[in-house]
Amino acid sequence: MTRARLPWSRCWRDEGGVAFVLTLMVFLLLAALSSALLSIGGSEVQIAANLLRSTQAQYLAEAGFEDAFNVFRTDPTLIGSAPSTATAVPGLAGPGATLERVGSYTVQYQSAGPNSARVVAVGTTSGSSAAASRAVRALLSFQNRYAMLVNGNLSLSGSANVSGACGNVHANNALSVGGSAIVTGSATASGSYALSGSASVGPGSGGGKRPRRIGAINPGDFLATAQATLPANQIFQMKATGQVLDGSGMPLTLLLPGMSYQGWTYKGGIPATWEYGTSSTYTGVYYLEDNATVSGSPGTTSTPWQTTILATGDVSIPGQPQIQPLLPNTLTVAGGNATISGNPLGGYQGLIAAAGAVTIKTNRTVTGTVIAGSGTVEDALLGSPKIAYDCGLNTPVVAEVTILALGR
């Protein structure tokens, strides 16, 4: 029997149909791949643009935080007086011409406890495309870590003892530690440093250190703080003319030379002199124009004299006053020099500051911090006094701003 054969033309037609189907499937697959590649390419462009804007926003936020940090570093009192609700940080320099082409930033702050503030800086990009925003969050505090800090020279001699968790001393010029003086913390200087005799100092001591910030020591600033926090009848402004005002500026009396008010005797003169020579205690924050001297011995360890002495000139305490600061943590602030030589049984507590020199010649303990704002302090600590400071006294005069926490 003869086997039948298909015509060649029919075989060609069958194989051509299969090839057409396969070719069509390949074209469809290639079209799908091309579409996917085009889609991915477009997404990559968008992703890159989003990443760029996010990075720019982050840098703007960081620039805003740096701007705010510089404001707080310059004026730490802003941290201590931070509002209870989020408020724009005053005095920002702004992003500048270069950053303004990219976007802008805003920075707000609010109180986070005593001497600390919470800061949020937000950077936002600008332009025709969708804006991006990023934030930097931080917790700032200002802290004084020095028992003694002077802008000029500092000399520790005799059997002086500086102790406590923050028993550190620093001079922005020269420092000499001699005799049998003891500094349990670091003893540093921005200028020369000399250690002699049997004196001992803690680790990290030496010269050539960076200068430490000392803000303006202005008794008027402390008067303003008292006026904002204490009743007007606890504040007495003693004018160089003999006039006495309360904290609100209300006239109380006018003294002639030799007359007294609230224990202070007006001596007159140019500059004027005020002297507290009584053993009686008159509670109050006293802002005295020109010079003030405490020669009496008011107060006892059980019933101290509640007062803070602010003088635009010199302050001298040769008497034996047992003082408890009325303005928290502030014993005395002088616009000139301050000399503490009395030996009250309970010693002294709080801040002792002067725009000029500070001389401590008491044999009692000063529990607090001593600051000399300007001028040369050749003998800031003499004899055998003790300065004990445990870091708890933060004053904008000497505080350095510290970042306690930083995040995005």
PDB file of all heavy atoms in Angstrom, residues 308-323:
ATOM      1  N   THR A 308      20.207  89.709  99.659  1.00  0.00           N
ATOM      2  CA  THR A 308      21.129  89.653  98.530  1.00  0.00           C
ATOM      3  C   THR A 308      21.627  91.072  98.314  1.00  0.00           C
ATOM      4  O   THR A 308      20.820  92.018  98.263  1.00  0.00           O
ATOM      5  CB  THR A 308      20.447  89.124  97.257  1.00  0.00           C
ATOM      6  OG1 THR A 308      20.090  87.752  97.452  1.00  0.00           O
ATOM      7  CG2 THR A 308      21.373  89.235  96.052  1.00  0.00           C
ATOM      8  N   ILE A 309      22.938  91.237  98.182  1.00  0.00           N
ATOM      9  CA  ILE A 309      23.541  92.561  98.080  1.00  0.00           C
ATOM     10  C   ILE A 309      24.044  92.777  96.657  1.00  0.00           C
ATOM     11  O   ILE A 309      24.927  92.053  96.181  1.00  0.00           O
ATOM     12  CB  ILE A 309      24.695  92.710  99.083  1.00  0.00           C
ATOM     13  CG1 ILE A 309      24.190  92.466 100.510  1.00  0.00           C
ATOM     14  CG2 ILE A 309      25.335  94.095  98.963  1.00  0.00           C
ATOM     15  CD1 ILE A 309      25.300  92.320 101.526  1.00  0.00           C
ATOM     16  N   LEU A 310      23.456  93.774  95.989  1.00  0.00           N
ATOM     17  CA  LEU A 310      23.840  94.139  94.630  1.00  0.00           C
ATOM     18  C   LEU A 310      24.346  95.574  94.668  1.00  0.00           C
ATOM     19  O   LEU A 310      23.639  96.469  95.130  1.00  0.00           O
ATOM     20  CB  LEU A 310      22.643  94.036  93.680  1.00  0.00           C
ATOM     21  CG  LEU A 310      21.804  92.749  93.740  1.00  0.00           C
ATOM     22  CD1 LEU A 310      20.557  92.879  92.867  1.00  0.00           C
ATOM     23  CD2 LEU A 310      22.639  91.552  93.303  1.00  0.00           C
ATOM     24  N   ALA A 311      25.549  95.808  94.196  1.00  0.00           N
ATOM     25  CA  ALA A 311      26.112  97.165  94.218  1.00  0.00           C
ATOM     26  C   ALA A 311      26.745  97.489  92.885  1.00  0.00           C
ATOM     27  O   ALA A 311      27.441  96.648  92.293  1.00  0.00           O
ATOM     28  CB  ALA A 311      27.138  97.303  95.341  1.00  0.00           C
ATOM     29  N   THR A 312      26.514  98.710  92.414  1.00  0.00           N
ATOM     30  CA  THR A 312      27.099  99.108  91.131  1.00  0.00           C
ATOM     31  C   THR A 312      28.596  99.367  91.247  1.00  0.00           C
ATOM     32  O   THR A 312      29.309  99.366  90.244  1.00  0.00           O
ATOM     33  CB  THR A 312      26.407 100.374  90.593  1.00  0.00           C
ATOM     34  OG1 THR A 312      26.597 101.447  91.524  1.00  0.00           O
ATOM     35  CG2 THR A 312      24.917 100.136  90.400  1.00  0.00           C
ATOM     36  N   GLY A 313      29.087  99.604  92.474  1.00  0.00           N
ATOM     37  CA  GLY A 313      30.509  99.799  92.712  1.00  0.00           C
ATOM     38  C   GLY A 313      31.124  98.596  93.397  1.00  0.00           C
ATOM     39  O   GLY A 313      30.872  97.440  93.016  1.00  0.00           O
ATOM     40  N   ASP A 314      31.912  98.850  94.443  1.00  0.00           N
ATOM     41  CA  ASP A 314      32.597  97.783  95.173  1.00  0.00           C
ATOM     42  C   ASP A 314      31.718  97.245  96.300  1.00  0.00           C
ATOM     43  O   ASP A 314      30.909  97.970  96.884  1.00  0.00           O
ATOM     44  CB  ASP A 314      33.902  98.303  95.777  1.00  0.00           C
ATOM     45  CG  ASP A 314      34.904  98.749  94.723  1.00  0.00           C
ATOM     46  OD1 ASP A 314      34.770  98.303  93.561  1.00  0.00           O
ATOM     47  OD2 ASP A 314      35.793  99.548  95.060  1.00  0.00           O
ATOM     48  N   VAL A 315      31.907  95.980  96.627  1.00  0.00           N
ATOM     49  CA  VAL A 315      31.270  95.345  97.787  1.00  0.00           C
ATOM     50  C   VAL A 315      32.367  94.834  98.706  1.00  0.00           C
ATOM     51  O   VAL A 315      33.278  94.126  98.257  1.00  0.00           O
ATOM     52  CB  VAL A 315      30.348  94.176  97.375  1.00  0.00           C
ATOM     53  CG1 VAL A 315      29.861  93.436  98.610  1.00  0.00           C
ATOM     54  CG2 VAL A 315      29.163  94.689  96.570  1.00  0.00           C
ATOM     55  N   SER A 316      32.270  95.183  99.985  1.00  0.00           N
ATOM     56  CA  SER A 316      33.235  94.710 100.977  1.00  0.00           C
ATOM     57  C   SER A 316      32.476  94.142 102.164  1.00  0.00           C
ATOM     58  O   SER A 316      31.549  94.775 102.676  1.00  0.00           O
ATOM     59  CB  SER A 316      34.138  95.856 101.435  1.00  0.00           C
ATOM     60  OG  SER A 316      35.034  95.429 102.443  1.00  0.00           O
ATOM     61  N   ILE A 317      32.856  92.929 102.592  1.00  0.00           N
ATOM     62  CA  ILE A 317      32.209  92.305 103.750  1.00  0.00           C
ATOM     63  C   ILE A 317      33.298  91.942 104.764  1.00  0.00           C
ATOM     64  O   ILE A 317      33.796  90.810 104.795  1.00  0.00           O
ATOM     65  CB  ILE A 317      31.397  91.062 103.344  1.00  0.00           C
ATOM     66  CG1 ILE A 317      30.372  91.430 102.261  1.00  0.00           C
ATOM     67  CG2 ILE A 317      30.674  90.469 104.552  1.00  0.00           C
ATOM     68  CD1 ILE A 317      29.496  90.285 101.806  1.00  0.00           C
ATOM     69  N   PRO A 318      33.679  92.901 105.625  1.00  0.00           N
ATOM     70  CA  PRO A 318      34.656  92.614 106.674  1.00  0.00           C
ATOM     71  C   PRO A 318      33.996  92.143 107.971  1.00  0.00           C
ATOM     72  O   PRO A 318      34.680  91.682 108.877  1.00  0.00           O
ATOM     73  CB  PRO A 318      35.344  93.959 106.884  1.00  0.00           C
ATOM     74  CG  PRO A 318      34.270  94.953 106.586  1.00  0.00           C
ATOM     75  CD  PRO A 318      33.412  94.346 105.512  1.00  0.00           C
ATOM     76  N   GLY A 319      32.668  92.283 108.078  1.00  0.00           N
ATOM     77  CA  GLY A 319      31.961  91.895 109.295  1.00  0.00           C
ATOM     78  C   GLY A 319      31.737  90.393 109.365  1.00  0.00           C
ATOM     79  O   GLY A 319      32.346  89.608 108.629  1.00  0.00           O
ATOM     80  N   GLN A 320      30.834  90.007 110.255  1.00  0.00           N
ATOM     81  CA  GLN A 320      30.550  88.587 110.459  1.00  0.00           C
ATOM     82  C   GLN A 320      29.077  88.277 110.155  1.00  0.00           C
ATOM     83  O   GLN A 320      28.375  87.663 110.965  1.00  0.00           O
ATOM     84  CB  GLN A 320      30.858  88.188 111.912  1.00  0.00           C
ATOM     85  CG  GLN A 320      32.173  88.706 112.474  1.00  0.00           C
ATOM     86  CD  GLN A 320      33.368  88.145 111.744  1.00  0.00           C
ATOM     87  OE1 GLN A 320      33.385  86.977 111.360  1.00  0.00           O
ATOM     88  NE2 GLN A 320      34.378  88.982 111.540  1.00  0.00           N
ATOM     89  N   PRO A 321      28.543  88.685 109.011  1.00  0.00           N
ATOM     90  CA  PRO A 321      27.121  88.464 108.732  1.00  0.00           C
ATOM     91  C   PRO A 321      26.827  86.998 108.421  1.00  0.00           C
ATOM     92  O   PRO A 321      27.563  86.359 107.666  1.00  0.00           O
ATOM     93  CB  PRO A 321      26.869  89.339 107.517  1.00  0.00           C
ATOM     94  CG  PRO A 321      28.174  89.342 106.791  1.00  0.00           C
ATOM     95  CD  PRO A 321      29.230  89.319 107.861  1.00  0.00           C
ATOM     96  N   GLN A 322      25.780  86.503 109.028  1.00  0.00           N
ATOM     97  CA  GLN A 322      25.323  85.152 108.693  1.00  0.00           C
ATOM     98  C   GLN A 322      24.184  85.320 107.698  1.00  0.00           C
ATOM     99  O   GLN A 322      23.064  85.647 108.071  1.00  0.00           O
ATOM    100  CB  GLN A 322      24.849  84.406 109.944  1.00  0.00           C
ATOM    101  CG  GLN A 322      24.523  82.945 109.686  1.00  0.00           C
ATOM    102  CD  GLN A 322      25.739  82.183 109.185  1.00  0.00           C
ATOM    103  OE1 GLN A 322      26.777  82.154 109.840  1.00  0.00           O
ATOM    104  NE2 GLN A 322      25.611  81.576 108.013  1.00  0.00           N
ATOM    105  N   ILE A 323      24.494  85.119 106.400  1.00  0.00           N
ATOM    106  CA  ILE A 323      23.559  85.462 105.331  1.00  0.00           C
ATOM    107  C   ILE A 323      22.955  84.221 104.684  1.00  0.00           C
ATOM    108  O   ILE A 323      23.658  83.243 104.403  1.00  0.00           O
ATOM    109  CB  ILE A 323      24.275  86.296 104.246  1.00  0.00           C
ATOM    110  CG1 ILE A 323      24.829  87.593 104.853  1.00  0.00           C
ATOM    111  CG2 ILE A 323      23.320  86.616 103.099  1.00  0.00           C
ATOM    112  CD1 ILE A 323      25.628  88.415 103.869  1.00  0.00           C
TER     113      ILE A 323
END
